Amino acid sequence: MCADKVELARQPSPNVEFVPGQHGDPDAALPGVLIEIVDGLDIVRVCPFAGKRRAAGAAVRKACGVGLPPAGKSVSKSASVIAWVAPEAWCILTPGPGTGALYRDLRKALRATAAVTDQSHAFCVIRVSGLQAPSLLMKECAVDLDETVFAVGTCSATRMAHVNVHLRRGDNGIFELLAPVSYAASFVEWLSEASLEFGYQAGRRREPYPDE
Amino acid sequence: MTQQANRLESGGILVRERPVEFEYDGIRYEGFEGDTLASALMANGIRTVGRSFKYHRARGIYTAGSHEPNALVELRTGARREPNTLATMAELHAGLIAASQNCWPTVRHDLMSVNSALSAFLVAGFYYKTFKWPRRFWTNIYEPVIRRAAGLGHASGKADPDRYEKSYAHCDVLVVGAGPAGIAAADSAARAGARVILCDEHARIGGALLNDRTEINGQAGVEWALDAPSRLSRLGVKVMPRTTVAGWYDDNTFAAAERVSDHLAEPPKHLPRQKLWRIAARHVVVASGAIERPLLFSGNDRPGVMLASSARAYVNHYAVRPGSRAVVCGNNDDLYTTAADLRRAGIAIAAIVDSRSAQEPSDVALAGSLVSQAVGGRSVRKVAVTDLEGGARRTIKCDLVCVAGGWMPNVSLLSQRGVKPAWNEGLQSLVPPETEAETYTCAGACAGRFGTQECLAEGARAGRRAAAAAGIDVPPGEAAPFAASGPFQGKPGGQSRVRGEAGKTFVDLQNDVTARDIELAAREGYGAVEHLKRYTTMGMATDQGRLSNVNGLAVLADVRGVPVSEVGTTTYRPPYTPVTLGTLAGHFQGRTWRPRRLSGFHDWAAERGAEFVENGLWMRWNCFAQPGESLAQAAAREVKAVRSGAGMCDVSTLGKIEIQGPDAVELIDHVYAGNLRKLTVGRSRFALMLREDGMVFDDGTVTRLARDHFLVTTTTGNAGRAMEHLEYCHQVLWPKLDLHMVSVTDAWSGLSIAGPRSRDVLETVVDRLDLSNEAFPFLSAADTSVCAGVPARLMRISYSGELAYEIYVPYQFAEDFIRTLEERGKEFGLCPYGLEALGIMRIEKGHVAGSELNGRTTPADVGLEWAASGTKSAGYIGRALSAREGLVDPEREVLVGLKAVKPTQEIAAGSHLLNKRGSRTLADTQGYVSAACFSPTLEQNIALAFLKRGRERHGEVLRAANPLQKREILVEVTSPVFYDPESDRVRR
């Protein structure tokens, strides 16, 4: 089934509203923080069964071009990311229409080697960047985000603002957060308020699907 | 506006070109930017700034720091009013409004000062001795009177309009206190390569360097200190002024309160008022300095008596004259530094009273003497000086008495972690032990090293040691040396107190504890230091006894005739200084106290005018009341719509867990009471989880999506706990089972489509799936799709008692899906319904919910014994204990239905069931009503209830008594299933 035939529109994190423009610190010439909600990702969780990690890794490599990174790390290839999210659990993120194509592909590829779950809609994906991004996130993140400790590619399952989140440090000073979508409105409310100190701009971004 | 009569012409760290207007007790004054409220009041000649806690004696500014016992004020007005604020710490800002507290009508004329005359009765332990009887006086008379008399300031009683925040921080080395030792430590630790945070409670870092005339490497100490923030920032040190390290916890975690906007009239919109920092440090350098020890003499609390170091601070730092004619009294060389600084400020020195006899006497210096009494009311007028040898007494006129009793290392923070300071006879003080600790280093005055030069050198060494202890590879060598000079020739000598004077000698100024109270407590058997503290309240004020502790111990030692080292000391606890509740709450207060969870249908429902109700964290639909409709009317309309046509209700909030793996069925068989091994692919089943004790834990459905792939649902309220339980069972009880589980609650948004037309509704959206009763009978399940390719999960399950389905679509398609469904369902009368209607329908159908599955009921109690298999071979959690005598007792209360005998009479949930005849007391209760409603379908009031031997009593009439509402009605016992008992409707 092709995405363009689907009769329904995908509305990621529908309960989150942003006001355009720069908010917070009136003296900040540039926003200290940029907040972006990323729409249009397919997310699949892969958990290898006992003794099947190697086989699952190989199958993921074949399907996505990269294998499963070690605990606490993520790898990326073109627009896709494979991030460790819990012991024996990884999430694969790739641009997609959210109609289950990646899930079906991986389910087929990993039959009998891993539990495969479609989580494309389970998370609100938030990217936080800007000079003050670490200071902002440290307001609720107990993990030390100093670059010497939490280097590019590092990821963590942690708790921020009473919400369980997956946090990853990407390239170019971008932090990517996966917050459970039902909590997104509350989480973004905290995030926006905590960003006032630094001055912030917020908006949405849709990753183009590969076949677009 | 009054002039700043006591302001020096020059000097101080003030922005003189920025005068600041403020108000104190309704009168407008002027100060400068850089002032504290205390220094500005002093500049304007205000001497009495407070009334004491118990005796309401006039009190003046005693210190220039956070250990201030007297100058507590109410700051700001309206909702921002904050009581018990230290005037010595409050930074002056334009529009600041402050008021004195604990006085009536004014601080100058306080009627409560009559307490002073009653002081003979207000001695140590007076509450325990006086207010014993009669017992009823306690709450009605004693407590209100004591509270009014002894209280400090008053809270605003209004909601705080400001924001608060929290933040974590990590570092290799945390330096607490930014005096010379702290600055040097931060500098050398950073140069060694450590990540350093430097905190200080004051607005500017520098500590004593700001208050004294010192010299460092040829530069004025004050300049060196003022330059330190930029110097340290360049080294990467995070410098945090206005930040009090309030607590030291396990694993070197610290709580620090930053006063972000307290120095402004109102916080700017983008900033919080205060911020709580949780700092994790590998190593901490405690450089918290030292506090000058007060002297004990009669009347030592009179306004005008203050610490010598504070007098220097006011003169040097704030360019204020604290008096015009001073007596400087003490036991160490700081006397002379103080006298010199005061003289420079134009203050006449009436006498320098030195307790040491070896000092050379001069025209003003009196050796071997001490002040024995200060006389005055709202200000000190004169002092009596007694010769320690001969006892000769002379009177000296003055309006300022500076006391210098030596230095007390500020060991509060160390004490919080159980570091016991030991008595040092030479320093006449409690000093932390000199140990090489793994997690902390003590430096500077806090370690008992009082000279500026020593503080700098020790601080620099401590910084390098801290960096090394934090795991930094510190390059060899020494920290750059300092050449410094300054006061703090701290070695005290001679006697420190003249006994036998009339009048009160205060040890703890804030809690009004006198030397006599301590003596009395010791005599009455409370001579152990911890007993003394409770009995007299010494050290229980906001400074936790930082100012009074050593003097109290000395008096106690004296009474008991033992050395001070044998008396011991009390323990300091967090917080170091009070932390506001707002800071501890941070962002999470009021509506944001906890996060709200919104389903994918939320915006649509809000648009349709849904009334929401909180269910756990979720916002759920309660009803869709039309204009003029009450909740009951709306719910009744919604019930009728479902029973006659079709309705839709948001069930996204149910917990949804996928369990996959070759052993998935094993786990499910163990945790659910039913026999689920035989569940075939494409089928759902209702299932119960029990606790180990045999009581029902949660109910839900189990669906087999594939041979090794299950989807289980839980109730909304138990979703988190059920997930934890399943994880526990897998990780702890049966770790060898090869499976994985993951919550998909957020991934899928669900609607229950219920009613005789629900099949017709669904057929308009579901792609290529035969929904006929034959192809998709009751309890069927399928992974399918809707609206041309949107994945969906469909289960034929009913809670309402009608033909019904649960359909789940991906969250991000939910909103468009429900709009489509609404449009296409119109012709079948599709109507949204909320929890209220759902609650009615489930009572009509006799389905149990949280009020029946309340943790005290077994499957049999609620009529679900069929869901707990007695035949399955494998054990399941709760099976063994289900057989206990009490759990199979035929006398148990079991689920029944109730009908009001008069149909319009409301049955109150919670009512007790009593026999129609016989005892009317609740002791003979036969059971209770768990849920009740007016059934629009039966057009009468019905209820679910638990009744002893209930199954045998259908048809019996009972009384439902509600003592709270003083109501009692007659009810008839029935089957709990009021509606469609054969369940034909769900199977059509």
Side-chain angles (χ1 to χ4, degrees):
Chain A
M1 270 167 271
C2 290
D4 52 9
K5 276 193 194 164
V6 166
E7 291 169 359
L8 303 182
R10 188 182 188 184
Q11 280 174 301
S13 48
N15 306 308
V16 178
E17 293 288 338
F18 287 126
V19 181
Q22 188 174 330
H23 308 280
D25 186 358
D27 299 331
L30 289 170
V33 171
L34 291 167
I35 301 170
E36 237 175 21
I37 291 200
V38 185
D39 297 346
L41 287 175
D42 276 8
I43 305 171
V44 173
R45 183 175 165 120
V46 170
C47 306
F49 293 129
K52 304 277 175 63
R53 164 107 68 95
R54 195 179 292 262
V60 168
R61 182 182 299 278
K62 203 172 160 197
C64 306
V66 274
L68 301 174
K73 295 289 167 196
S74 65
V75 289
S76 55
K77 168 128 190 188
S78 55
S80 301
V81 172
I82 304 182
W84 175 92
V85 291
E88 292 302 302
W90 286 264
C91 269
I92 298 165
L93 294 83
T94 194
T99 45
L102 177 67
Y103 167 69
R104 286 186 293 273
D105 289 351
L106 286 170
R107 198 160 175 82
K108 199 183 253 177
L110 291 160
R111 189 172 298 276
T113 55
V116 179
T117 314
D118 193 355
Q119 294 284 54
S120 304
H121 298 259
F123 299 106
C124 176
V125 181
I126 306 164
R127 288 193 191 142
V128 179
S129 57
L131 274 180
Q132 300 290 350
S135 302
L136 163 64
L137 297 173
M138 285 306 292
K139 287 188 182 183
E140 274 295 320
C141 177
V143 179
D144 188 354
L145 297 183
D146 190 81
E147 204 161 1
T148 58
V149 181
F150 201 79
V152 172
T154 311
C155 48
S156 173
T158 182
R159 197 171 167 84
M160 292 172 66
H162 300 166
V163 178
N164 295 330
V165 296
H166 297 295
L167 174 64
R168 188 174 72 83
R169 189 184 203 121
D171 296 321
N172 306 322
I174 295 173
F175 290 88
E176 190 168 88
L177 285 151
L178 268 58
V181 68
S182 66
Y183 289 91
S186 277
F187 187 77
V188 170
E189 191 177 79
W190 163 76
L191 193 67
S192 309
E193 187 180 302
S195 301
L196 288 172
E197 177 180 353
F198 310 114
Y200 77 96
Q201 269 181 16
R204 290 169 182 276
R205 162 202 188 86
R206 212 199 85 180
E207 293 288 341
Y209 312 144
D211 54 351
E212 275 183 325
Chain B
M1 184 100 48
T2 54
Q3 298 300 314
Q4 300 183 47
N6 290 338
R7 183 71 73 182
L8 300 175
E9 287 302 311
S10 62
I13 314 167
L14 298 169
V15 190
R16 287 182 190 254
E17 52 280 19
R18 288 209 206 127
V20 173
E21 258 187 53
F22 70 103
E23 191 183 304
Y24 174 71
D25 276 348
I27 299 171
R28 286 151 78 91
Y29 299 96
E30 196 180 83
F32 291 120
E33 192 176 305
D35 262 324
T36 61
L37 174 60
S39 67
L41 288 173
M42 201 177 272
N44 285 283
I46 313 288
R47 291 182 78 84
T48 303
V49 292
R51 286 280 168 171
S52 75
F53 188 63
K54 212 154 81 174
Y55 304 117
H56 289 252
R57 283 164 72 106
R59 291 281 167 81
I61 294 159
Y62 196 80
T63 72
S66 67
H67 45 288
E68 172 62 34
N70 296 338
L72 272 67
V73 296
E74 285 180 354
L75 211 57
R76 301 181 284 271
T77 56
R80 288 198 169 85
R81 186 171 74 190
E82 192 180 350
N84 309 333
T85 321
L86 297 176
T88 49
M89 295 298 285
E91 295 172 54
L92 202 67
H93 57 256
L96 177 144
I97 297 176
S100 51
Q101 58 184 35
N102 200 30
C103 55
W104 188 84
T106 69
V107 72
R108 283 177 60 79
H109 305 281
D110 176 17
L111 291 179
M112 290 301 285
S113 58
V114 67
N115 277 8
S116 246
L118 302 172
S119 63
F121 303 101
L122 296 174
V123 291
F126 115 100
Y127 298 121
Y128 309 120
K129 291 167 183 163
T130 315
F131 298 131
K132 283 184 174 171
W133 22 245
R135 195 185 165 82
R136 66 196 151 84
F137 273 36
W138 253 113
T139 45
N140 300 335
I141 295 175
Y142 297 147
E143 193 183 320
V145 167
I146 294 168
R147 281 199 187 283
R148 204 170 308 131
L152 289 170
H154 299 280
S156 77
K158 299 188 177 103
D160 190 332
D162 296 325
R163 289 195 300 118
Y164 295 82
E165 286 190 354
K166 298 186 194 183
S167 188
Y168 291 91
H170 297 258
C171 60
D172 296 315
V173 178
L174 169 67
V175 182
V176 181
I183 294 174
D187 185 287
S188 71
R191 283 179 201 278
R195 287 165 69 196
V196 181
I197 295 176
L198 173 65
C199 295
D200 194 279
E201 61 180 347
H202 288 277
R204 285 194 197 85
I205 75 166
L209 295 175
L210 305 176
N211 301 337
D212 280 307
R213 301 166 59 81
T214 58
E215 206 180 278
I216 298 171
N217 297 343
Q219 191 184 12
V222 63
E223 298 299 331
W224 187 86
L226 292 176
D227 185 41
S230 58
R231 210 166 54 230
L232 292 170
S233 296
R234 280 197 297 275
L235 291 171
V237 176
K238 185 176 171 69
V239 180
M240 300 179 68
R242 300 189 177 107
T243 305
T244 305
V245 177
W248 184 356
Y249 303 93
D250 288 351
D251 298 322
N252 256 19
T253 305
F254 297 82
E258 183 186 3
R259 298 180 302 282
V260 181
S261 311
D262 274 7
H263 60 294
L264 306 169
E266 255 181 50
K269 281 204 166 54
H270 68 288
L271 286 181
R273 172 172 291 287
Q274 296 179 359
K275 202 187 264 189
L276 180 74
W277 289 86
R278 289 170 279 192
I279 304 172
R282 289 182 201 280
H283 198 90
V284 59
V285 176
V286 183
S288 46
I291 293 169
E292 195 162 37
R293 181 175 167 182
L295 292 181
L296 301 182
F297 51 85
S298 171
N300 62 345
D301 65 325
R302 295 299 180 196
V305 179
M306 68 170 63
L307 296 178
S309 55
S310 306
R312 296 202 302 275
Y314 286 112
V315 167
N316 296 326
H317 185 160
Y318 300 106
V320 175
R321 263 186 302 271
S324 55
R325 188 176 156 83
V327 168
V328 188
C329 175
N331 58 9
N332 63 77
D333 288 355
D334 280 351
L335 287 177
Y336 303 94
T337 318
T338 308
D341 285 3
L342 295 182
R343 259 196 208 108
R344 195 173 289 110
I347 298 168
I349 303 298
I352 301 173
V353 184
D354 193 331
S355 68
R356 297 169 297 180
S357 49
Q359 295 299 315
E360 279 292 310
S362 69
D363 52 341
V364 291
L366 308 167
S369 303
L370 271 176
V371 168
S372 55
Q373 189 179 31
V375 179
R378 289 194 290 268
S379 170
V380 64
R381 292 194 311 275
K382 59 185 179 182
V383 293
V385 174
T386 301
D387 186 284
L388 295 172
E389 291 250 317
R393 212 162 174 276
R394 74 167 86 173
T395 303
I396 301 171
K397 280 195 172 170
C398 62
D399 62 358
L400 174 66
V401 182
C402 302
V403 296
W407 290 89
M408 307 180 288
N410 187 358
V411 295
S412 284
L413 211 54
L414 292 161
S415 176
Q416 285 184 15
R417 285 314 283 167
V419 178
K420 282 270 173 211
W423 182 253
N424 182 313
E425 198 57 38
L427 296 175
Q428 286 289 297
S429 199
L430 290 161
V431 180
E434 281 189 45
T435 48
E436 294 264 300
E438 204 182 310
T439 55
Y440 73 90
T441 304
C442 204
C446 177
R449 318 231 188 263
F450 298 125
T452 308
Q453 167 78 42
E454 235 185 330
C455 282
L456 289 164
E458 286 289 314
R461 239 190 315 268
R464 288 172 60 82
R465 180 179 130 59
I472 306 288
D473 197 6
V474 179
E478 278 289 310
F482 293 97
S485 65
F488 303 107
Q489 305 308 311
K491 291 263 154 79
Q495 201 173 319
S496 62
R497 182 183 165 203
V498 180
R499 261 169 233 91
E501 286 285 346
K504 286 188 170 56
T505 300
F506 284 90
V507 177
D508 187 326
L509 288 162
Q510 199 179 115
N511 268 1
D512 265 359
V513 179
T514 63
R516 209 163 292 157
D517 287 328
I518 297 172
E519 288 156 11
L520 181 71
R523 273 208 311 282
E524 291 185 341
Y526 297 95
V529 65
E530 295 286 359
H531 290 161
L532 178 80
K533 175 174 172 178
R534 273 83 189 166
Y535 200 61
T536 62
T537 72
M538 182 184 82
M540 286 165 71
T542 52
D543 75 337
Q544 289 194 47
R546 276 189 283 280
L547 205 57
S548 59
N549 194 25
V550 171
N551 273 336
L553 299 180
V555 173
L556 183 63
D558 210 25
V559 184
R560 286 173 45 187
V562 297
V564 184
S565 57
E566 279 181 34
V567 172
T569 179
T570 53
T571 306
Y572 293 95
R573 295 189 184 83
Y576 174 75
T577 48
V579 176
T580 62
L581 292 175
T583 309
L584 298 176
H587 168 84
F588 307 100
Q589 50 177 309
R591 195 182 61 71
T592 55
W593 174 60
R594 55 184 193 175
R596 288 193 316 171
R597 296 182 76 177
L598 305 180
S599 101
F601 307 116
H602 185 86
D603 280 3
W604 174 88
E607 238 174 65
R608 291 292 173 278
E611 283 176 21
F612 293 97
V613 61
E614 284 185 16
N615 187 189
L617 300 180
W618 288 98
M619 299 303 288
R620 298 192 69 178
W621 310 345
N622 204 25
C623 74
F624 291 79
Q626 289 174 356
E629 254 183 354
S630 69
L631 172 63
Q633 287 164 336
R637 176 180 49 74
E638 289 169 12
V639 168
K640 283 181 183 157
V642 173
R643 296 248 185 264
S644 63
M648 56 179 175
C649 177
D650 189 354
V651 293
S652 309
T653 59
L654 298 177
K656 298 179 281 293
I657 302 161
E658 279 193 27
I659 306 177
Q660 300 179 54
D663 296 331
V665 71
E666 293 293 327
L667 182 77
I668 284 173
D669 205 35
H670 285 321
V671 294
Y672 283 99
N675 195 347
L676 291 157
R677 205 174 271 278
K678 289 181 186 154
L679 185 67
T680 51
V681 172
R683 298 288 290 167
S684 295
R685 193 178 292 176
F686 174 79
L688 286 179
M689 273 195 256
L690 306 189
R691 298 193 312 231
E692 287 88 338
D693 64 2
M695 300 296 177
V696 179
F697 165 52
D698 196 43
D699 69 334
T701 58
V702 176
T703 300
R704 197 163 198 167
L705 295 170
R707 213 183 65 79
D708 55 359
H709 189 174
F710 291 81
L711 172 69
V712 305
T713 64
T714 73
T715 58
T716 301
N718 267 337
R721 261 168 300 196
M723 183 79 191
E724 269 173 33
H725 177 66
L726 286 165
E727 286 278 14
Y728 173 83
C729 291
H730 180 214
Q731 292 181 29
V732 180
L733 305 182
W734 299 291
K736 296 228 166 105
L737 294 183
D738 188 11
L739 60 90
H740 286 283
M741 66 184 81
V742 59
S743 165
V744 292
T745 305
D746 277 37
W748 298 91
S749 293
L751 289 172
S752 167
I753 313 288
R757 305 303 302 271
S758 56
R759 182 182 290 127
D760 302 326
V761 173
L762 276 176
E763 278 173 345
T764 66
V765 289
V766 173
D767 303 336
R768 295 195 300 269
L769 182 70
D770 184 355
L771 292 179
S772 68
N773 202 27
E774 297 68 37
F776 202 74
F778 185 50
L779 297 178
S780 294
D783 258 337
T784 178
S785 68
V786 293
C787 301
V790 171
R793 278 178 176 166
L794 184 66
M795 291 168 230
R796 190 169 156 193
I797 293 168
S798 176
Y799 193 55
S800 55
E802 300 294 339
L803 167 67
Y805 301 82
E806 278 177 12
I807 182 149
Y808 292 93
V809 295
Y811 190 101
Q812 295 160 14
F813 287 118
E815 189 173 334
D816 211 21
F817 177 65
I818 199 166
R819 288 184 198 283
T820 306
L821 206 60
E822 180 188 33
E823 185 60 34
R824 297 183 189 173
K826 258 184 196 148
E827 62 172 304
F828 309 106
L830 182 67
C831 150
Y833 66 98
L835 284 190
E836 192 69 15
L838 185 65
I840 292 170
M841 287 191 280
R842 73 102 185 166
I843 294 174
E844 291 177 341
K845 184 63 187 166
H847 279 156
V848 291
S851 49
E852 287 78 34
L853 304 180
N854 55 20
R856 297 181 295 149
T857 50
T858 66
D861 292 346
V862 293
L864 294 174
E865 54 274 35
W866 56 268
S869 169
T871 58
K872 78 183 198 187
S873 53
Y876 56 84
I877 291 174
R879 183 181 189 171
L881 291 180
S882 291
R884 281 181 295 166
E885 211 177 317
L887 268 62
V888 294
D889 185 350
E891 288 293 319
R892 279 186 74 82
E893 295 169 348
V894 298
L895 190 72
V896 294
L898 300 176
K899 277 183 177 173
V901 170
K902 284 186 190 155
T904 54
Q905 272 185 328
E906 195 182 319
I907 311 173
S911 294
H912 277 272
L913 298 177
L914 303 174
N915 286 326
K916 193 176 175 194
R917 287 178 228 302
S919 164
R920 295 177 82 96
T921 66
L922 294 183
D924 294 308
T925 183
Q926 299 295 301
Y928 62 95
V929 177
S930 60
C933 69
F934 177 79
S935 160
T937 315
L938 279 67
E939 293 194 326
Q940 87 138 70
N941 280 291
I942 59 170
L944 295 178
F946 287 95
L947 178 65
K948 281 181 187 168
R949 291 187 172 273
R951 280 189 202 89
E952 304 161 17
R953 298 171 72 173
H954 292 189
E956 195 178 326
V957 172
L958 299 170
R959 281 184 284 132
N962 189 321
L964 285 177
Q965 296 177 358
K966 294 195 169 64
R967 252 164 42 87
E968 201 177 284
I969 67 161
L970 292 178
V971 291
E972 185 195 329
V973 181
T974 68
S975 151
V977 186
F978 297 93
Y979 182 71
D980 187 24
E982 303 304 321
S983 287
D984 289 335
R985 298 179 71 88
V986 301
R987 295 198 163 85
R988 274 178 198 163

